[in-house]
Amino acid sequence: MIGLSSYAGVMESLMNSAEEQQPYSPPANSWSLKQESSKSQKPKCLGGFVLVHAGAGYHSESKAKEYKHVCKRACQRAVDRLKAGALAVEAVAAALVELEDSPFTNAGMGSNLNLSGEIECDASIMDGKSLHYGAVGAISGMKNPVLVANRLLSEAQKGKLSAGRIPPCFLVGRGAHDWAVGHGIPPCPSEKMATKFSLSAYKRNKRKMELAEKIDTGHNQAKKRRQSSENENGSGCLDTVGAVVVDLEGNVAAAVSSGGLAMKHPGRVGQAAHYGCGCWAENACNMNPYSTAVSTSETTRLCSSVFMGFHRSFCQMSFVSTFGFLVFSSPPSAGRLPVLVGS
């Protein structure tokens, strides 16, 4: 639930900006005229929307300020891009870069280390306007995996490659790294991506595993190791960060990024990279009057997700976590902010 205080400020900032650009004056004869005009023209979006989450899992109270600050910075970075005229997919990527650059999140810099003591990240991004998707899995040596995923998405939008080849939208491991370097994304040594927090967590987890292996044997050893891993992941690990964005034209986009589970097997690809699992974005169309943007985060049994539906002037946002279910709802007009209508 960290970062919720930032969302309202983002809504207000974008709405004020939109109102300056497009002043809204409702017609005097309201309902029948409104119904008639909505059939003949596409409704205008009165403001953008940005929402970020720092991931499911255990968030230390001592670092609460840091989590809130990084969420606020991520929101502001996306807002700045939207005000400059960027589309939703560009803004959501900008928000994820800020989350990945923080040493306190399990994404990009400071991600969980795997069994070999290396960082392998997953990330995906989806554009609701084109329905294009880009993702990377188990990628090493990239400071911002979401930028690689976003580049895959943008390259796929250009169409087929030479000789009619289909461009990739999902790459893993060394292939993903080499493709990124070949497309101008600078690499970052894995050792520089590890922080004192991730290194100390790795050493602590490794000691626990070594102790368990010395004490246990046979079937009990494997069973205890699984239980120890589950307890560790449930109590002290963070998982996938993400964001959803609506731009000033009403387009939606979503993205997620993760360092994966602590002490995972090298090469493991988590849900953050998989199509339809980590994130989803889809603009409204004739068959569906709602635009949808989803960003998920899961650590074993902990799960948080964000859903937004836009229908004409109605905005709905819900946040699901182990702490409960919150729904914020209000028409995004006259600078009004979402209000709590259910829990």
Side-chain angles (χ1 to χ4, degrees):
M1 302 204 43
I2 286 174
L4 277 176
S5 59
S6 302
Y7 308 153
V10 171
M11 286 287 289
E12 185 175 27
S13 176
L14 282 171
M15 286 174 185
N16 290 341
S17 174
E19 284 168 6
E20 290 173 6
Q21 298 173 23
Q22 300 178 358
Y24 176 68
S25 54
N29 196 2
S30 59
W31 182 248
S32 59
L33 185 58
K34 208 178 288 184
Q35 286 286 86
E36 200 173 314
S37 62
S38 66
K39 294 178 183 178
S40 60
Q41 64 180 19
K42 185 178 179 181
K44 294 181 180 179
C45 181
L46 297 177
F49 185 92
V50 176
L51 189 148
V52 306
H53 66 82
Y58 173 76
H59 295 79
S60 171
E61 289 296 328
S62 63
K63 299 186 183 73
K65 286 186 178 180
E66 284 80 1
Y67 293 128
K68 289 180 180 179
H69 287 161
V70 70
C71 283
K72 186 175 182 179
R73 290 196 305 270
C75 282
Q76 190 58 56
R77 190 161 179 174
V79 168
D80 292 341
R81 295 301 300 273
L82 291 178
K83 286 183 176 179
L87 295 177
V89 70
E90 300 171 40
V92 80
L96 262 291
V97 166
E98 192 68 39
L99 293 172
E100 289 177 337
D101 287 346
S102 171
F104 301 103
T105 59
N106 179 27
M109 296 290 291
S111 290
N112 288 332
L113 277 63
N114 63 18
L115 278 172
S116 302
E118 299 174 345
I119 289 178
E120 293 182 332
C121 297
D122 306 324
S124 65
I125 185 170
M126 188 167 180
D127 177 18
K129 183 178 181 179
S130 65
L131 296 183
H132 278 98
Y133 157 89
V136 291
I139 187 172
S140 296
M142 283 292 154
K143 181 185 175 185
N144 298 114
V146 73
L147 292 182
V148 187
N150 191 37
R151 187 62 183 270
L152 281 164
L153 183 153
S154 62
E155 289 296 318
Q157 289 178 328
K158 296 178 181 178
K160 293 182 179 180
L161 304 175
S162 60
R165 292 175 299 135
I166 303 298
C169 65
F170 185 4
L171 293 174
V172 299
R174 187 68 192 179
H177 177 276
D178 293 346
W179 186 94
V181 173
H183 284 77
I185 300 176
C188 177
S190 295
E191 56 270 19
K192 289 188 177 182
M193 292 179 63
T195 64
K196 62 179 182 180
F197 302 111
S198 61
L199 286 171
S200 62
Y202 171 73
K203 292 174 181 177
R204 184 171 62 252
N205 291 332
K206 191 173 183 180
R207 283 196 301 268
K208 288 182 179 180
M209 289 185 63
E210 290 172 349
L211 181 61
E213 289 172 355
K214 288 179 181 179
I215 296 175
D216 301 318
T217 56
H219 175 71
N220 287 336
Q221 176 181 346
K223 184 178 179 181
K224 291 288 185 179
R225 190 183 304 167
R226 285 195 298 270
Q227 290 176 346
S228 175
S229 176
E230 289 174 359
N231 291 336
E232 183 67 27
N233 289 331
S235 62
C237 294
L238 302 178
D239 202 59
T240 310
V241 302
V244 290
V245 169
V246 183
D247 63 28
L248 299 180
E249 296 179 4
N251 302 304
V252 297
V256 289
S257 182
S258 177
L261 298 175
M263 309 304 286
K264 65 182 180 182
H265 194 283
R268 179 187 186 274
V269 177
Q271 94 340 287
H274 287 91
Y275 180 73
C277 296
C279 66
W280 184 265
E282 184 175 2
N283 279 11
C285 61
N286 292 335
M287 299 297 292
N288 180 14
Y290 291 92
S291 291
T292 304
V294 181
S295 172
T296 66
S297 180
E298 183 176 3
T299 349
T300 60
R301 290 173 296 276
L302 298 179
C303 176
S304 70
S305 64
V306 175
F307 169 82
M308 297 192 306
F310 284 79
H311 183 223
R312 295 181 183 173
S313 63
F314 185 77
C315 163
Q316 175 175 293
M317 182 275 283
S318 65
F319 182 86
V320 184
S321 75
T322 54
F323 300 101
F325 181 79
L326 301 179
V327 178
F328 293 79
S329 169
S330 71
S333 59
R336 292 180 60 185
L337 302 180
V339 294
L340 179 63
V341 297
S343 62

